[in-house]
Amino acid sequence: MSIDFNTKVIEMKNITKKFGDFVANDNIDLTVHKGEIHALLGENGAGKTTLMNILYGLYKPTSGEIYINGKKIDITNPSVAIENGIGMVHQHFMLVETFTVVENIILGMEITKNMGVLDIERATKEIEELSKKYGLHVDPNAKIHDISVGMQQRVEILKALYRGADILILDEPTAVLTPQEIDELMEIMKSLSDQGKTIIIITHKLKEIKQVADYCTVIRRGKKIDTVKVADIAEEDLAAMMVGRQVSFKVDKKEVDIGDVILKVDNLVVKDNRNLNAVNGLSLKLHRGEILGIAGVDGNGQSEFIEGITGLRPVESGVVTLNGKDITNLTPKEIIESGINTIPEDRQRRGLVLEFTVAENMILENYYKEPFSTKGRLNHESISNFAIELIDKFDIRPQDHNHKVGELSGGNQQKVILAREISNNPDVLIAAQPTRGLDVGAVEFIHKYLIEQRDNGKAVLLISFELDEIMNLSDRIAVIFNGKIIDIMDAKEADERTLGYLMAGGGTIDEAK
Amino acid sequence: MKRNRFIMIGISILLGLIVGAIVLLIAGFNPLEAYGVMIKGVFGSPKYISWTIIRSTPLILTGISVAFAFRTGLFNIGAEGQFIIGSLVATLVGYFVKLPPIIHPIVALLAGALAGALWAGFAGLLKAKFGINEVITTIMLNWIALYFSNFMVFTKAFKRPNKDASHRILESASINVLGKWKTSEAGKAFLVEHKFWKEFLNPPVNYGFIIAILVAMLIWYILKHTTLGYQLRAVGFNKDAAEYGGIDVKKNIVVSMMIAGALSGLAGATQVLGVSKETAILAIMEGYGFDGIAVSLISGNNPIGCIPAALLFGALKYGGSKLQPAIGAPFEVINIIIGIIVFFIAMPKLVEMIISYREKKRGGEVESIK
Amino acid sequence: MKALNDLGIILGISLMYAAPLMYTALGGVISENAGVVNIGLEGMMTIGAFTGAAVSYFTGNPWLGFLAAGLSGGALALLHAVACVTFAADHVISGTAINFIGPGLALYLCKIFFDGAAMTLPLDLNHKIPRPLDRFFSTNSFWNSVLNQYATVYIAFLLVILVWFILYKTKLGLRLRSVGEHPRAADTLGIDVFKIKYLAVILSGILAGFGGAALSIAVVSNYRISLISGQGFIALAAMIFGNWKPQGAMWGCLLFGIAQGLAVYLGGTSLKISSQILAMIPYIITIIVLVFFVGEATGPAANGIPYEKDQD
Amino acid sequence: GCGNNAEKPKSDIKVAMVTDEGGVHDQSFNQSAWEGLKKAEKDFGIKVSYVESQQDADFAPNFETLLDAGNDLIWGIGYKLSDALLDAATNNPDQLYAIVDFSYGDKTPDNVVGVVFKAEQSSFLVGYIAGKMTETNKVGFVGGTAGDVIWGFDYGFQAGVQYAAKELGKEIEILNQYAESFSDVSKGKAIATQMYQQGADIIFHASGDTGNGVIEAAKEQDKWAIGVDRDQNYLAPDNVLTSAMKRVDVGVYNVVKDLVEDNFPGGQTVVYGLEEGAVGIAPTSDKHVPKEILEEVKELEKKIIDGEIEVPYNEETFKEFMKTL
Ligand SMILES: Nc1ncnc2c1ncn2[C@@H]1O[C@H](COP(=O)(O)OP(=O)(O)OP(=O)(O)O)[C@@H](O)[C@H]1O
Ligand SMILES: Nc1ncnc2c1ncn2[C@@H]1O[C@H](COP(=O)(O)OP(=O)(O)OP(=O)(O)O)[C@@H](O)[C@H]1O
Ligand SMILES: [Mg+2]
Ligand SMILES: [Mg+2]
């Protein structure tokens, strides 16, 4: 089915949303036609999610009107949106971890027998049919915390379709998927639009917009810049519209000689929370002066691998040596002191004490050392001075070391961690998802520091789901699958297809070729 | 922020008193008269002030105990049991151990604190080692402490003949202010001359209050200015981050519970050495720990804040005890008032709304005048 | 034969002890599965105990008293809900307040309605909750010791099944648990998070009120100030013990009941164990069972976190 | 300074009491004491009032409160208040005090009167009734928290049962258990239920609120319970056989009367027993206890008053009693 330009399924007019004094959406107009795939593009914090949350009834607009299929609707809460055929897949999944797939899908729209008793059997059947119809494979009876992120995403889409959604909002749906999964999703979107569904997709990836979207609306700092026909515009121009200047996505990286092995992991086995071997005989060597990228789909043991080598999770068997010294199963403190520092993947859970000030967070690993404390007494002055220095060097905003970290933006939170870890000048820096969810400026900044670390003859272990990041930064790339490194290649020789093939568990490089 | 908190507490207290007034009215008492009795009952004489302070002293310490645990992410419902154990051990040391004055009370206080620390540390250990929720274990340990104390009081060497209580502690272990001097000839002569001091010193005024204030400052200092406090707070706010930063989370849970327990144990010890001088058979929980929870919550889990909060609590309870003989109003109204105060303190959002409504109203009036 | 009878006595005592705790613990299960921590159970139980005894006394109908007990517990719970749900209060603070207000109010009302007395007037045996299986078994038989219980005991077990069924098999239960695990997700699906939380907290108060009445008009026949001295907290512990599940909470209460039964039984034997030591046994057994058989428990993911919608 | 009441008009005399944690409505000795004061108020036209204690630490400040209120006589109700009362009395030698259930012996200050009751005597009488009336030859005793006071009830009761057993020429077993609580009704009920199941048909309790559970068990199993302190028959009219009365009200009333008549027995301990009519069996006993037995009880009372029978009140005296039996 092609786009029906006579039917405006969505018309948002003059939408303004203020959070206190801050204007997140500034007089935005958005029109979407039936059968269209419409992309929303903008930097971090541009206001994309806010606009869609308004459309879905999660936020009340400060002013402005919304028309659905030509009728003015006051979308006061998600129920109204659902009734009007709007479904939304949120940037952070809205799934109840302890529930099964079926339970998550039917929640709020339950099929019941008498007296409100759930009819799970019928629901399961319906969902199986639905999943067949749209080619969205899920395991209906699995619990959410047991399934892959890709499947979780399909559950989210099914949730919307199950509610009879004709308009589907997808907020950054590809951020956590493998290239293959992304391809699959693109296909699904096309097939949905063929079946008459209207889709709004938010993404930072220009490639994807080119691939599926018909039209694209660009938002910058809460204001709508323009809506353009995707076929008529080049990626570079889209990027320029988005940030308001020409951007280059290349990372400057000079050649460095790779040095001795500094970190050696031998046949490592680490269990996950369910007591299964998440890391299952993993071996690798990290050299001075290199960035070793670890590519892989979420859930293949990356987290357990990092926690295993940093002492946060017991190592069942295998050996980790740093500079020739066995550091297997030492305490986190001992491991930090032997020279490994980490940028953790979950910055809010692991990386920061949100209720602490910036200054307090800066000394998380060193609070007991001179000059931050003497004989168990904190030395507030030197802590402050240290924090002020780092805030300045890493351009952390606001420039206030007494600010609570929880009140900082995501990018600045990440900079606090980076500043802290790099200031330790570790031999090995483990960077897990260092730029997840950050805008272009912040990403550039963090990449610069990772490379600087490598240039200084230290080693960086980079773990990321973002293939572009891995390929741009790494000197060598290891692919992790099912808790093992299945192959390692030179970054220059790596291409997206091969990596994607390996990440999906396809086999070794040779087989990929 | 800080200012707002004070205003909020003030408004909560006001609301509590208003509800209390309504309850009194319904039962046919004049609330103004009742509050008058309470105010006079607390401030009417130097000795009433002494009594209020004496009444508040253990609550400052159990309040800090609960607050400290909260600050480090633990809910210490067990202050009650730790208090009991602290009292018991302080009595044992106060009676059986023979030491010179000054040293004797110090040893007894430390012993009480240590006993409380070990008692609570056990709950901390179970949490750290087996992940057992400290709420359950401390509830269970409260009852075990109660029965254990009763058991100990009944041992032959410890029980006072013809009394369901232990022997009294030796005079050398007392922490009363000028205890001996008060009854000496010189003391008596002085006090006859100086009415205020006679009144003020009439109740068993003891160093417990000063100890409690010093401890509040110490705990505030530990939390704010030491690496130990830094670690404990980090664990309390986010134990995953603390663990990642190399802090031994399990050890800190045990240490935190031990410090909390030491504070409650100390509360029990000061009570014995300063006021009760003995451990009596306990028929029921006396409520020092449970009141401590309320004190801690009123103070916003701030150790320094526990001092005024406990004084408020002590004043309400001590002043409230005078309602009955004066005007015949039942004491329960005090518990209702305390409950309402705590209830409003739980709802800063509501109280803020009330404040901003009033400000708006005032603003509106100003505008209409223009 | 003697051994069997002794066992019967222990089990009978266990059931008597466990039943009031079970109601209250079930209340905790419901409230906390919807994400509202309820340490105010003690206060709700107390007001229920008083209301149950007072209404039964004045109406002569224990079932009316039982219902009224539930309503009074629910009314107190409503306060907790207003604080925790509407005003995003700290659940522990609000619960602590309830624990002051509940007992204070119960005694205050008791003194008003019962001429200044700190206890309600006792009910006749035939004005108490009935014992459906009374005279069904021969006296002093094993089955009589175990099963000749007040209707409240059977109802407690029925409620365990009912609560389990509602939580895990019905629409309401699914929604209730989703609100405790991930309120935002529930919200995005059009579920009224506040309404569900209100419902759950009020239900928990009703059950705690029942628990109080199960003591005041079944185990004994009047309310007095000392009747609920810590039972609410024990029920809370049983709920955590049972991993926030109805059946788990039931086992927690039964364990505690059995331990009490055992302590009472041992006190009646010729073993000369001091009575203070015996009194500690139930609490010690609970800790031991926790350490060796239960271990770590985690509640619903969003339990105790105030849920606030769009903050603007 | 205890002889100046004569000049005062009676309506100016003020008497007040400090209760223990049970409070004035405890259906037990606090309430009984208050009833005694109220009767005195009515009879002599004096003014009376009370303060309730919430915890042990309240005793001393409560004495202060009453001191400041200008009372002529201040009562402490219950042995738990003995230390606090002694302190207050020593500090304020001009103020009159009296305490229920405690004797300072030779060391009683001049401004203090101790009032004690021979609870073992009434316990002996109910024990005798139990011994006479048991059909299963098994009776029980449930105590609150163990201690001197409750032991008095315990051993007095045992002695009475054994006395009856001797008379009847049979063996009667006495089950004996302490709840370690004065407030755990469930436990009281559990213990009593167990005793009944083991064949006891009469149980005497001296356990405060815990006893509520004992009486409840009696009601349920349709067995006998024996009440304590006051006439507890109203709690279960068909199942409370009798009660071991301790007329705290009589004791309190009498001392106040002495005061009003300017006859305050300062420095002494007044012992109230059968002779003074301050202990005994409940007036409702005739509902369930046969006349003959009641008559025998009367005779026993006489023997006790005459000193022919010395009722034991602790383990030691009980052993001696058993030797003489
Ligand atoms: N509930 C809120 N309260 C206050 N500020 C908010 C709230 N939600 C969003 N904002 C702010 O509004 C701005 C727009 O946020 P929004 O989430 O819409 O950005 P976005 O375009 O989706 O960015 P991203 O690419 O990071 O997802 C940001 O500065 C954000 O901090
Ligand atoms: N609730 C309170 N009642 C009385 N005084 C208080 C209270 N809270 C704080 N104060 C006063 O404020 C001073 C600062 O307290 P403190 O430095 O411990 O607060 P903080 O640590 O900055 O606050 P927070 O509790 O938010 O961590 C204290 O010395 C005390 O005098
Ligand atoms: Mg964002
Ligand atoms: Mg977004």
Side-chain angles (χ1 to χ4, degrees), chain A residues 210-239:
Chain A
K210 287 296 281 182
Q211 206 176 331
V212 292
D214 302 305
Y215 284 86
C216 176
T217 295
V218 180
I219 297 175
R220 193 194 310 151
R221 296 197 187 155
K223 288 201 176 72
K224 173 179 162 176
I225 302 301
D226 202 359
T227 300
V228 293
K229 190 160 188 220
V230 173
D232 298 347
I233 192 164
E235 274 183 40
E236 291 73 30
D237 298 331
L238 271 178

Side-chain angles (χ1 to χ4, degrees), chain A residues 44-45 49 91-92 172 437:
Chain A
N44 285 130
T49 301
Q91 190 170 356
H92 308 282
E172 293 192 36

Side-chain angles (χ1 to χ4, degrees), chain B residues 106-244:
Chain B
I106 291 174
V107 171
L109 287 171
L110 290 179
L114 180 69
L118 293 175
W119 197 256
F122 180 61
L125 193 71
L126 291 182
K127 169 133 189 155
K129 254 200 131 69
F130 304 104
I132 314 262
N133 192 310
E134 79 280 7
V135 171
I136 316 186
T137 40
T138 53
I139 288 175
M140 299 296 147
L141 284 170
N142 283 344
W143 291 100
I144 297 173
L146 182 121
Y147 294 122
F148 180 68
S149 172
N150 286 355
F151 173 76
M152 290 300 291
V153 171
F154 271 112
T155 49
K156 263 234 159 60
F158 197 35
K159 184 176 181 307
R160 190 139 48 113
N162 301 321
K163 211 126 198 245
D164 287 350
S166 69
H167 281 285
R168 305 199 92 182
I169 56 161
L170 305 176
E171 191 51 45
S172 57
S174 157
I175 54 167
N176 284 77
V177 178
L178 305 171
K180 259 204 190 120
W181 177 82
K182 268 197 290 188
T183 47
S184 72
E185 287 308 316
K188 276 185 185 160
F190 175 87
L191 291 176
V192 165
E193 295 292 309
H194 300 80
K195 199 117 181 100
F196 176 87
W197 290 111
K198 180 176 160 54
E199 287 265 298
F200 188 82
L201 289 177
N202 178 301
V205 176
N206 61 73
Y207 292 107
F209 186 60
I210 293 170
I211 293 172
I213 290 176
L214 291 177
V215 166
M217 297 199 296
L218 176 72
I219 293 297
W220 174 82
Y221 184 85
I222 288 178
L223 281 172
K224 198 113 188 161
H225 294 288
T226 66
T227 54
L228 175 65
Y230 179 90
Q231 289 175 38
L232 291 168
R233 284 187 301 132
V235 172
F237 284 133
N238 184 349
K239 64 177 189 314
D240 292 321
E243 186 189 18
Y244 151 90

